[in-house]
């Protein structure tokens, strides 16, 4: 069976992060089958990630979009716990990407560019970890890398 | 055995969201048996969802109503974690709908219309995912869809 | 074996909610054996509920009392997650009742009456769910029922 | 095999609560073997408690010390969830004692006396529950007992 | 098979804490194989720790770096719950080290020295617990030890 990697995104997001992830993974993981699963919102991501991993995928990238209300922040927390739990229970890699609307209030262009950059960089992270194993990112350890922003570098 | 889908709602809610969900699911999921389970409040939803799924239902929609006190927000968080956990442990779909009283303070008509719109749209989401599988919502991915409000669209 | 239902309360509480629950359950669940388990505080409730359910009880009512400090609110959150988890893992009903000291600051009589009303109504909820199953409360769904306060009714 | 009870404390704490717990448990649980496990901080308590219970102990008392920073409060929450989970998963009793530095800012003597009183009373609670079972504390239910402070009594 | 211990760090961190941990563990745990796994950020730590422990390691040290935004604090909470869960589920030791950017705002040198000191001391804690067992740190219990800062001592 062909190796498989999953992409989970939402209809709530205001940028089609799923397509960007698919494109980036295709480039970095030739030969992998990419399965996409779209759900309504961020709280639906962990269950969807679990279902994809249960079908045999080796890893998943999840793409959440977080609104600015207090309830959204709590949803972010609940989803984060859930995604971590999926990773613990399956033993597989889940790269959890989120964009927060309050990162660029009133500046949709900036928010969009944050989203694009973050997805591209994290899809690459997922690909590297799947291809080269646990030590794939060691040479970048402690380097102050950022996704969605320029790297800040080591102190 | 006939396919089954569950509706879990509360006596705490101020809108009969359960009936709206049943009606919408009947329209979109002909042939499915719909089981309804009403519990007191939002923290009772995850256990009730789990019990319905254990009886063989393929998916559940849960309908929570969140008061405006600080304790209610913490209850929202606990319930959200629980519902995510149910989805992870069962491998089945749980669509988690909540209406927050502070979405429309002092405007009961608006709050009611938010509740109705949100339930209808999310019951449709559940039906689509059950009928067409993980890719059912891909064409709506990143479109800035909202439930309870008009869609905001992509950036 | 006689059917069994559990009551878990605390020494921290300032109202003997456990006795009220026992009395109410005796009235509504004739023939059931009622097992009571008292623990120090709210964070001890989930473990105690789990132990009672493991002895064969069909359901449990837990009775927490939440102080007004910030740490108490975090304890409330942790306990709520725990009680939801017990319900998910056992497949049995846990009705989680809490009284928050900041519901009636400086008014002990009011706080006491909130506690009594809340326990009586939720013990009845537990009894109905155990006796009549998942649909027992459907006719009260969305009715804006409150425990500890008068019902607020539907919108 | 001799019955066993565990004591888990930290190097972070500013009072040797572990020794107080050991002493109190020796008095109240003659014949029990007491195993002590010291870890760095509050987030290490749940794992340590689980390891002690896995060696066959019947119950554990954990002794946490919570600093005053925001991160400490979040650590308190995470540890509380963890300890509750240990109790749920093992079916054994975990008495979770914490002292919060902001209970007596600038008054080390008071903080120390809070810690001592709290440990002594909770070690007694653990001993009673282990010796006399779930109903051991029923006569103290709803009595407004406090640990670290004088009891406040029932309303 | 040679005994094994894991080091998990991130590319988000601004100090190469992983190398410091490896060096310290090599000194204190001669004969142990040290496996390093670098992941993007703090929410990726629990899954990575679980994967290392599943390969047979006896313990893991995780090295998180927490930004100053509200979302970062929630990520810290989610990661903390996850790491505690890994420890509970595996029965093995996870020493969870985090550095918070708001510990030394505007003072990178101080932040760096906090990070170095914290990693060195906690790597030693892990080594002691692995070599000497649950009682290894008992003589330091309640001594007000701090990592990243000078010890504050007992009250």
């Amino acid at each position: 069976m062909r190796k498989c990697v999953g992409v989970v995104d939402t209809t709530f997001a205001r940028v089609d992060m799923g397509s960007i992830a698919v494109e980036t993974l295709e480039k970095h993981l030739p030969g992998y089958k990419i399965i996409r699963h779209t759900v309504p919102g961020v709280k639906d991501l962990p269950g969807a990630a679990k279902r994809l991993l249960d079908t045999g995928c080796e890893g998943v990238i999840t793409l959440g979009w977080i609104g600015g209300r207090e309830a959204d922040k709590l949803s972010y927390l609940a989803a984060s716990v859930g995604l971590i739990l999926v990773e613990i229970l399956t033993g597989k890699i889940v790269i959890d990407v989120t964009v927060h609307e309050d990162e660029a209030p009133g500046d949709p262009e900036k928010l969009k560019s944050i989203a694009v950059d973050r997805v591209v960089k994290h899809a690459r992270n997922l690909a590297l970890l799947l291809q080269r194993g646990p030590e794939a990112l060691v040479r970048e350890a402690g380097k102050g890398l950022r996704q969605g922003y320029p790297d800040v570098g080591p102190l």
Side-chain angles (χ1 to χ4, degrees), chain A residues 36-48:
Chain A
R36 186 166 173 186
H37 185 0
T38 302
V39 290
V42 69
K43 291 189 290 177
D44 304 303
L45 294 173

Side-chain angles (χ1 to χ4, degrees), chain A residues 2-155:
Chain A
R2 204 146 56 112
K3 283 180 174 178
C4 153
V5 65
V7 172
V8 188
D9 63 348
T10 71
T11 65
F12 185 87
R14 303 189 66 186
V15 172
D16 181 4
M17 297 191 284
S19 294
I20 301 166
V22 168
E23 211 174 290
T24 312
L25 290 171
E26 277 173 349
K27 197 169 68 186
H28 290 296
L29 289 175
Y32 271 74
K33 182 179 174 187
I34 297 171
I35 303 186
R36 186 166 173 186
H37 185 0
T38 302
V39 290
V42 69
K43 291 189 290 177
D44 304 303
L45 294 173
K50 178 64 161 48
R51 290 191 295 271
L52 282 194
L53 292 171
D54 286 347
T55 67
C57 286
E58 293 189 354
V60 167
I61 188 167
T62 64
L63 307 164
W65 188 273
I66 316 296
R69 298 184 314 154
E70 186 189 1
D72 296 315
K73 294 178 200 313
L74 298 178
S75 300
Y76 168 71
L77 175 55
S80 298
V81 170
L83 289 166
I84 288 170
L85 191 58
V86 170
E87 212 173 353
I88 292 172
L89 294 179
T90 62
K92 295 180 179 179
I93 299 174
V94 178
I95 294 292
D96 160 13
V97 182
T98 52
V99 175
H100 301 250
E101 288 201 341
D102 58 13
E103 287 187 79
D107 189 344
E109 276 315 303
K110 188 174 170 205
L111 198 58
K112 190 171 177 177
S113 76
I114 289 172
V116 172
D117 182 70
R118 193 166 286 160
V119 175
V120 168
K121 287 180 178 172
H122 271 311
R124 173 187 164 277
N125 282 331
L126 175 57
L128 284 171
L129 288 166
L130 287 177
Q131 286 182 313
R132 304 187 193 166
E135 298 189 350
L137 301 177
V138 168
R139 64 187 146 187
E140 294 174 1
K143 296 289 193 206
L145 302 195
R146 295 294 178 269
Q147 296 81 28
Y149 302 99
D151 297 335
V152 294
L155 296 182

